[in-house]
Structure formats: structure tokens, C-alpha cells
């Protein structure tokens, strides 16, 4: 699904502020996997995500998504992303229903399907956050956890092959975090969507995901496969 090879990223190259954010990072992510990339602040997680989305072109190395080199914007035909801020994933002035309808536009053609699929409602229901009980509520009235749940369901309602999660629980309290992580797991298992999540939260990496890739100082320092209990350093 994703193949990153020897990627090096240098910010402010040739200036006094030069900073090597990725120092030869390689990783492979297989279709259907749920991978968590964990690391402390400054480890290079966001930079890696930007390489994957094509926002940053690495100085050296390569990044391929589904067999072809990434190109900015194109990836979002195949992938959806949910970020940290609950207010960026939903349209605040639209109702839950309108948000879901709008989210089903697919790819560059902006095709609107005009109705909500059953799967979206089932996913909303599974969170027990009561989102499905009144679809006429405005998104701005929802709690942070409810907004992130809606954002996740919206992100997968266009059937992406890949779901990218950029610290999507970082702004939530522990209880909402659990709900959102369970929803994330359900999406991976039930829809078969490949999930790649970045987080600084070790507890999340410990409790969720099938594979954990640990990043430290611009490098991959360990890969932990939870299904086989294999550890690579
Ligand atoms: P993380 O997401 O793990 O916190 P980042 O990828 O954001 O790490 O940052 C890795 C390193 O690169 C940090 O030292 C950070 O300060 C630096 N960095 C990130 N973005 C920029 C930028 N746009 N310009 C200069 N330095 C940057
Ligand atoms: P995150 O780790 O969640 O991306 P940050 O606060 O590290 O959050 O980064 C926010 C934004 O600022 C990112 O787009 C990153 O590239 C940029 N950034 C981070 N560090 C630097 C830096 N030293 N100089 C310039 N931009 C930076």
C-alpha cells in the first residue's frame, strides 16, 4: 500500500536553521493493516506524513503509494485524512446529515451521491455517542469526541483504500479517545480500510494497532509486530 525507501528530508537547507527531519526512513505498509507510528515531539512523524501525502518532496529516497510515486493532491482520490482539530473535519454550519451527504462526494469529479449509506449510520451507532438519533443537529453543537467520530465516518464514507490519521485523538479526553480508537479499529476490521495513524501517545500505541513503528530523532528506531510478537530494531 505504502512503500517508503531511504527518505531524507531537510528543512531550510543551506541556511543556519538547517534541520534534517528524516534521516533515511524506510517502511512498508501492507493493504488492510492498522499501523501506528509513534514518537515524541520532533521525531519526524508529521514530516513523514507530509511525504506520504506528497506535500513534501524528499531530498533523497522515494515514496510510493499503491505502486506509483506520490503526487500531491492525487493521493486524496485514494486516501482520506483526519487531523487533530475536531473543528477541521466537519462543516460546522451544516447538520450531521448534510455533513455525511457532502462527504460522499468522490474524487476529483465532485460527484454527489445525495444520500447517506447504511454503513455510515451503523458506524455512528456503534460509537454510542447518540449521533444517529438526531441527524438534524448542527455539527457546531457537537462535542469534540462527537465531531471526531463524525469526521471519521465522513472520511471513510467515500470508500478510500487508505485512512491517514494525524494525532486524531490528541485533543480528546481519555474517554473520547477510547471511543474514537474503537471506531478506528472497527473501520479497519469491518471495512478493510488500511489505517496509518501517527501519535505521540505511547498508551495508544500499546493498546491499539497491529504494528507499531517507533520513530526517534528522524529515524525508525523499532518496529513491533503485535500479531507475531516480532520486534525489529
Ligand atoms: P513530529 O511530528 O514527530 O513532532 P515533525 O515532523 O513535526 O515531528 O518535526 C521534525 C523536526 O523537523 C523537528 O525538529 C521540527 O522542529 C522540524 N520541522 C518540522 N517542520 C519544519 C519546518 N517547516 N521548518 C523547519 N523545521 C521543521
Ligand atoms: P505537529 O507535530 O502536530 O505537526 P507542530 O507544532 O510540531 O505540530 O508543527 C506544526 C506545523 O509547524 C507543521 O506544519 C510543521 O511542519 C511546522 N514546524 C514545526 N517545527 C517547525 C520549525 N522549527 N520551523 C518551522 N516550522 C515548523
Amino acid at each position: 500500500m505504502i512503500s517508503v525507501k531511504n527518505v531524507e528530508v531537510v528543512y531550510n537547507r543551506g541556511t543556519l536553521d538547517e534541520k534534517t527531519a528524516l534521516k533515511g526512513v524506510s517502511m512498508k505498509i501492507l493493504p488492510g493493516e492498522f499501523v501506528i507510528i509513534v514518537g515524541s515531539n520532533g521525531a519526524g512523524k508529521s514530516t513523514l506524513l507530509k511525504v506520504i501525502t506528497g506535500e513534501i518532496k524528499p531530498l533523497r529516497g522515494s515514496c510510493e503509494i499503491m505502486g506509483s510515486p506520490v503526487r500531491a493532491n492525487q493521493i486524496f482520490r485514494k486516501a482520506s485524512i483526519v487531523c487533530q482539530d475536531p473543528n477541521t473535519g466537519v462543516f460546522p454550519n451544516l447538520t450531521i446529515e448534510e455533513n455525511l451527504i457532502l462527504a460522499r462526494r468522490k474524487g476529483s469529479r465532485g460527484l454527489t451521491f445525495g444520500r447517506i449509506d447504511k454503513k455510515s449510520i451503523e458506524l455512528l451507532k456503534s460509537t454510542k455517542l447518540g449521533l444517529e438519533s438526531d441527524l438534524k443537529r448542527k455539527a457546531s453543537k457537537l462535542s469534540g469526541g462527537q465531531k471526531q467520530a463524525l469526521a471519521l465516518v465522513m472520511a471513510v464514507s467515500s470508500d478510500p483504500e487508505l485512512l491517514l490519521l494525524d494525532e486524531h485523538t490528541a485533543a480528546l479526553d481519555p474517554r473520547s479517545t477510547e471511543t474514537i480508537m474503537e471506531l478506528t479499529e472497527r473501520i479497519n476490521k469491518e471495512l478493510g480500510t488500511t489505517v496509518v495513524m501517527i501519535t505521540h501517545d505511547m498508551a495508544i500505541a500499546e493498546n491499539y494497532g497491529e504494528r507499531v513503528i517507533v520513530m526517534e530523532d528522524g529515524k525508525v528506531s523499532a518496529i513491533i509486530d503485535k500479531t507475531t510478537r516480532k520486534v525489529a530494531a
Side-chain angles (χ1 to χ4, degrees):
M1 177 67 58
I2 303 177
S3 171
V4 174
K5 279 190 204 140
N6 287 316
V7 162
E8 199 176 312
V9 170
V10 181
Y11 290 112
N12 304 321
R13 200 164 161 245
T15 74
L16 283 174
D17 297 327
E18 184 168 299
K19 171 79 198 173
T20 306
L22 296 179
K23 305 172 179 175
V25 167
S26 301
M27 65 181 65
K28 266 199 162 65
I29 290 162
L30 306 174
E33 265 198 303
F34 181 176
V35 174
I36 295 186
I37 300 173
V38 69
S40 53
N41 220 354
K45 304 178 301 292
S46 305
T47 303
L48 177 66
L49 203 65
K50 285 175 188 169
V51 169
I52 291 171
T53 60
E55 195 181 326
I56 292 180
K57 210 171 144 4
L59 181 63
R60 290 199 189 81
S62 65
C63 178
E64 290 186 353
I65 309 276
M66 287 166 250
S68 41
V70 276
R71 259 175 289 154
N73 304 322
Q74 296 233 344
I75 181 170
F76 294 111
R77 292 183 193 174
K78 299 167 185 167
S80 291
I81 192 161
V82 176
C83 300
Q84 176 171 343
D85 185 352
N87 296 313
T88 59
V90 297
F91 300 101
N93 293 322
L94 299 183
T95 65
I96 298 169
E97 183 178 39
E98 290 163 346
N99 266 284
L100 287 166
I101 288 169
L102 211 57
R104 293 201 73 201
R105 288 175 311 169
K106 191 139 169 81
S108 56
R109 284 179 299 168
L111 189 68
T112 304
F113 291 91
R115 59 193 177 84
I116 305 170
D117 62 320
K118 231 171 87 195
K119 194 74 214 170
S120 294
I121 297 297
E122 280 168 18
L123 284 171
L124 287 182
K125 246 188 201 156
S126 74
T127 64
K128 302 195 171 70
L129 292 172
L131 283 160
E132 74 292 346
S133 65
D134 180 7
L135 294 172
K136 303 287 183 200
R137 265 175 300 167
K138 266 199 182 183
S140 59
K141 296 271 192 289
L142 304 175
S143 71
Q146 286 176 318
K147 282 178 190 161
Q148 285 303 69
L150 178 57
L152 267 180
V153 172
M154 286 167 67
V156 295
S157 69
S158 58
D159 288 325
E161 289 171 77
L162 176 63
L163 178 62
L164 298 171
L165 303 169
D166 184 356
E167 300 261 13
H168 73 313
T169 59
L172 306 178
D173 60 45
R175 216 168 130 220
S176 301
T177 296
E178 203 181 314
T179 303
I180 292 302
M181 287 311 300
E182 280 167 10
L183 177 59
T184 306
E185 266 184 338
R186 198 169 300 117
I187 284 167
N188 171 253
K189 293 278 168 315
E190 289 180 13
L191 306 182
T193 316
T194 309
V195 176
V196 178
M197 169 178 184
I198 68 172
T199 180
H200 64 270
D201 188 338
M202 279 304 292
I204 289 179
E206 195 187 332
N207 293 323
Y208 302 94
E210 297 162 336
R211 217 147 56 90
V212 176
I213 299 178
V214 186
M215 287 190 69
E216 243 172 303
D217 191 28
K219 284 176 285 207
V220 172
S221 61
I223 300 177
I224 300 159
D225 191 324
K226 291 185 179 171
T227 47
T228 62
R229 308 314 310 187
K230 263 198 195 154
V231 179

